[in-house]
Amino acid sequence: MTAIRVEHVWMEYGDQIVLENISLDFAPRSFVALVGPSGCGKTTFLRLLLSEERPTRGRITVDGAPLAPEPGADRGVVFQRYSVFPHLTVLGNVLLAAELPKARLSGRLFGAARRRAEEEARALIAEVGLAGAEDKYPAALSGGMQQRLALAQALMRKPRILLLDEPFGALDPGIRADIHGLMLALWHNCEMSVVMVTHDLREAFTLATRVIAFERRRSGDDRARFGAVVARDIEVWPRRIAGRGHPTVSGRDDPASPMDIGRDDPAPLAV
Amino acid sequence: MTAIRVEHVWMEYGDQIVLENISLDFAPRSFVALVGPSGCGKTTFLRLLLSEERPTRGRITVDGAPLAPEPGADRGVVFQRYSVFPHLTVLGNVLLAAELPKARLSGRLFGAARRRAEEEARALIAEVGLAGAEDKYPAALSGGMQQRLALAQALMRKPRILLLDEPFGALDPGIRADIHGLMLALWHNCEMSVVMVTHDLREAFTLATRVIAFERRRSGDDRARFGAVVARDIEVWPRRIAGRGHPTVSGRDDPASPMDIGRDDPAPLAV
Amino acid sequence: APKKDFKVAWSIYVGWMPWGYAADTGIVKKWADKYGLTIEVTQFNDYVESINQYTAGAFDALTVTNMDALSVPAAGGVDTTTVIVGDFSNGNDAVILKNKTKLADIKGQKVNLVEFSVSHYLLARGLESVKMTERDVKVVNTSDADMVAAYKTKGVTAVVTWNPLVSEILQEKGANNVFDSSKIPGEIMDLMVANTATLKDNPDFGKALAGIWYETMAVMTDTGEKGAAARSAMGKASGTDLAGFDSQLAATKLFAKAPEAVAFVRSPEVGATMDRVRKFLFAKKLLGDAAKSADAIGIELADGKILGSAKNVKFRFTDAYMAAAADGKL
Amino acid sequence: MRLINRRPDRGTALVLAALPFALVALAYVLGSAERLAENPADKLLPSFATMAETFGRLAFVADARTGDYILVSDTLASLERLASALFISTALALVLGLLIGLLPLVNALLAPFVALVSMVPPLALLPILFIVMGLGEASKIALIVIGVAPFLTRDLAMRVRELPREQIIKAQTLGASTWLIALRIVLPQIVPRLIDGVRLSLGPAFLFLIAAEAIASDSGLGYRIFLVRRYLAMDVILPYVAWITLLSVAIDYGLARLRDAAFPWFGRGA
Amino acid sequence: MRLINRRPDRGTALVLAALPFALVALAYVLGSAERLAENPADKLLPSFATMAETFGRLAFVADARTGDYILVSDTLASLERLASALFISTALALVLGLLIGLLPLVNALLAPFVALVSMVPPLALLPILFIVMGLGEASKIALIVIGVAPFLTRDLAMRVRELPREQIIKAQTLGASTWLIALRIVLPQIVPRLIDGVRLSLGPAFLFLIAAEAIASDSGLGYRIFLVRRYLAMDVILPYVAWITLLSVAIDYGLARLRDAAFPWFGRGA
Ligand SMILES: Nc1ncnc2c1ncn2[C@@H]1O[C@H](COP(=O)(O)OP(=O)(O)OP(=O)(O)O)[C@@H](O)[C@H]1O
Ligand SMILES: Nc1ncnc2c1ncn2[C@@H]1O[C@H](COP(=O)(O)OP(=O)(O)OP(=O)(O)O)[C@@H](O)[C@H]1O
Ligand SMILES: [Mg+2]
Ligand SMILES: [Mg+2]
């Protein structure tokens, strides 16, 4: 049960208002997609949910209790600019997510526990398509590979709330479809709510139970004086319910050929 | 006239082969889209064209002459991880592209020359949707805003060859369509060849004259031993020719509403 | 070669403070003007560096002890002549034991001192007087600036040093002066020396130095207010006050009048002292690597006698300038 | 809440910051009282009252003969040397560090030499320095420069190399020459780092200043300390040390403020 | 090609690197020859031959009385002090720097204090150090530690703060406690930077070593230098300085190799 409630939240940097009076209610186990123009405050909103920043006004509660004042194991995150640990190999990065909560003293697992965790990590690494790169350091990975590594790391923890900031932006359609499948399977099987920022409307509607569009009100040039508000809030239909069946991810079994071009663009949100 | 010719190019890091015997011919003023799975070597290929790295085997020529052994003003670039100058404001970053080549001694423009350059820079900043953020430092910009800034900076130079590494990945559809329009206008009006890496096949086919797919041959686990090769090389039809008319960018006038979901995904390249 | 501009180095020590005073109060300028010279007087806080700079040729004249004059400039090939014998240490240098009262008690102890300095020589002379040698103690090189603080630590039980450090240390409970330079009077001399060649070409420079010195002496030894004011200024410049300075002076045999100095430098004791000193230095290998014996470097005494090699005279005593002062011929 | 996220408020921060100083002061007072009880004339740890009195005399009573205030003239003499030396070191380090960090050829030429020079203990070579530079201000300033500049240069060269390679490539694609890259890309990003480097070398700079003044000088903070050291006049030395420390901290703080004001973008990531 | 992109090949690099050394050596030879022509017994700039002879004697001829090889016993004595001091400084700096950089509370408590301590000129406080630590090895090691550790600590704390904030947040979302963040995220990333810090402080460490040995000692490189300084034996001092420099360069190089071997990911960006 992880109902997130955002009440009249404002966020300001100096005299620039970024978020303006946002109120939202996320049901337990919802999969929310957050869309909106670049620079409107989506990342900022995630940072609030992560307790990385505190709202200038308003409050956020989880299951009725105020949001913990610091980031914690209950909320996993994949940052927009893929941030992995440069001093650990791919395997080390993913393994870390198992070691940190389990070995409170040494931060390392040994023996059977380690073997189990390593198996799990290797499986996850393979699922995000990084098999074979287990022993590489992040500096030797491509951009998309780093992004997938960050995702595997966050998924390893199976957090109750997963915050994703454009996690699939640097992935090609093939691997992206694979990972969509992985995400949905995890969402169905684990007790998990997801808030995902994306610019891909199709992705939003394919994965999410609800799509929320932020938008900044305009008034002449003086745009910066107004913060973003919730412009649209769409329940996806037919309803998807976590744990009930594995609805096929459309992209996966799509018969369309790669040459099939010229199809229409998902238009920009009416701004 | 900027015909790029890539002849039997290999690229290896230690004993990992990244690119394997790539040969390609880009006609003058072509707009090439480079697609392929994440980690297959697209960025590496751009780095070769940029002379940031040298091929381990093979050679690259531009208009018959070997590629200059160092990056230069003839080739502009937007990196995958948006790299702008943190010590300059948005305006300063774009202006720099005009100042560096013109003021060989001080690197700064003054008086009328500066006013002209500033006007041009401001117009470009507005075109990429950063109007109002001219005086911000990059640290105060969102991810997408930084990416647009990097683009404006590269466009300001109007290079003969423009290398783009997933330049629109972090942009929402609205601003992306605007920028597609800008890109095409520039390509039509300036003497410019473009090589663009993207994961968005629709984008590739909307903008490019030619789409090239890289792919890494597989053989069991030992994937790393083989480098990427050109898997497909598709001339886009109907032919687009630089300077001939302004074909409308499909996304722009698209009547589809944002609610129009469930359309099929551009399938992954048949791998 | 004849020249007009001269540089004099002096360092802070009771017997040399008059040079600073003379520079400050215009006595130097007065005498320099008289001979049509300019004399630049430079104060060093670090005695060793002043010797080094003189030896390296940066200065024409220097305040130094007889022993260091022999071991550094003379051994370094810089022919050096004593212009003025200003004083000799008459208690300014001392061997101090903690909680022991006899020099003989020093046996087996660690002794903190500045190695190869006059303290080292004093220790050697002291040990000789009780029929011991340096092998009976263990010498630990200790910088003079830290000597007082070093004495206050537990592990330090014996030190050899000079004033004002001696009087500072003697204020401690249990500190006993067991042997001092008053037991070897005349052996530790404080000199004003000059480069022999320079002096030969410019005898006026030597005369000016003598003139400065004895005029300053006259002011300083004045028993009235004038003398007190001068001594108190010197005390202040050396970091203490009139009383402190006077107590240091009390352990110094100052040759305030030129005739006294002339008599001293002509006495046979100087020759005997220099013989001991050169033997000490040779034993410590301080006369240069090439020195095969203590005779390697010649020392010319005021009466023209030469100790050691006559071919390699590098250190000379002369009474010429002091005598000129005594005779009022400056 | 994790310790890592617990931030003291302003008041607590002040109290915390004062704590170690209070403890050191307390330890001193106790030690001093104990020694003074044993020997009222003890010079090693004078009481605060004695030190205040001495300091007051040095700071506010004009010297009878010259009319100078000793503390003021010492401070001015030292600061002048320090300022010249830091100015020269900074200029040297900026030029050399930038060239070494940016140009592979200069790096090959000078990096090993600067590394080696930074390891030479300069105090051991003083006689040569004095012969070459004379005994005046020049050699004192030179000693500080020799002590500080190689460190600053190496540090700065490292910092230049830490700049993301992409920026240099990007600048080249924008048509910048080596000169313009240095002038417009590297220099402005390096100056705030240089300021931090200077802050880190304030300690060593004062150290060399004191060493230089201890050898041949007739004014300056280091001169005074060495003059009274032979009498173990800790009632002068300790306030002087405190004063030097205070001066350095003030310079350090001023430089940090200057950096923040002049380079608002610095330290905020990109 | 831009100067910035021009890389010397191995041979050229070697020649370039040798150039400044050759120039300095040449200047020395000329200066020395000139002075020796004037005064064959000149001590300030002895000829290379004299120095080689003296150095050979110190290194390879056993002392008649003790049977020691002077250079060897001096080097061993000094290196032992240096090693102990660097070990203590490094350990201190690692713990304090990590805590100050990571924990706002410790930062509030200790950062101002460490900043201040790093500005105190330690040589002026020697008397107090002697009383507390005695005149033996302890106070020599302590002097080096006092001279080096505050700089290292501040440098390290700065480096901890330079770690991207995202990493710390990420670790928290992976369930790390403050302890585990320190142990598994910060520590491993900080150690290579600490090694670089130690490399930068080798110069100061030797400086303080020499100063410490000059104060009260009967062996060590600094002892010898200060002993022979009394009679301007530059034929001993210069080879000793060269030897010290060589030792530091060797340690510097060794540390750099160690860092590269132990932290292969370091310095390659992320
Ligand atoms: N410095 C390096 N050392 C070793 N391997 C490297 C290095 N840089 C890149 N690689 C490898 O080269 C391959 C290609 O990397 P590249 O960045 O070109 O991929 P890409 O096609 O741009 O992928 P993406 O779409 O994810 O950005 C990757 O497998 C990567 O692991
Ligand atoms: N530290 C800061 N100081 C000032 N303004 C900031 C700061 N961080 C972000 N902003 C501003 O807040 C606004 C929202 O930024 P945010 O990163 O949340 O956008 P976003 O919706 O995630 O955009 P994108 O899709 O491009 O990532 C931007 O206009 C940005 O300029
Ligand atoms: Mg964002
Ligand atoms: Mg890439």
Side-chain angles (χ1 to χ4, degrees), chain D residues 114-149:
Chain D
V114 173
L116 204 109
V117 168
S118 78
M119 303 288 178
V120 174
L123 292 181
L125 298 183
L126 279 179
I128 297 181
L129 182 71
F130 284 132
I131 291 298
V132 176
M133 314 277 297
L135 269 153
E137 295 300 290
S139 59
K140 297 186 189 75
I141 293 172
L143 180 66
I144 306 178
V145 171
I146 293 173
V148 167

Side-chain angles (χ1 to χ4, degrees), chain E residues 164-245:
Chain E
R165 185 96 201 114
E166 277 85 4
Q167 288 191 16
I168 310 294
I169 305 256
K170 179 67 145 321
Q172 297 184 50
T173 68
L174 296 181
S177 58
T178 294
W179 161 246
L180 283 183
I181 290 175
L183 183 71
R184 296 238 31 210
I185 311 300
V186 180
L187 188 67
Q189 294 195 64
I190 266 332
V191 172
R193 295 184 167 90
L194 178 64
I195 293 181
D196 276 347
V198 172
R199 291 174 59 205
L200 278 180
S201 36
L202 278 176
F206 264 103
L207 190 86
F208 285 107
L209 174 73
I210 294 175
E213 290 180 342
I215 287 158
S217 176
D218 49 17
S219 65
L221 300 165
Y223 160 76
R224 191 75 46 198
I225 286 178
F226 268 77
L227 184 62
V228 305
R229 188 173 97 97
R230 263 208 83 82
Y231 49 97
L232 196 63
M234 297 304 283
D235 59 330
V236 176
I237 294 182
L238 289 177
Y240 259 64
V241 167
W243 174 239
I244 288 175
T245 307

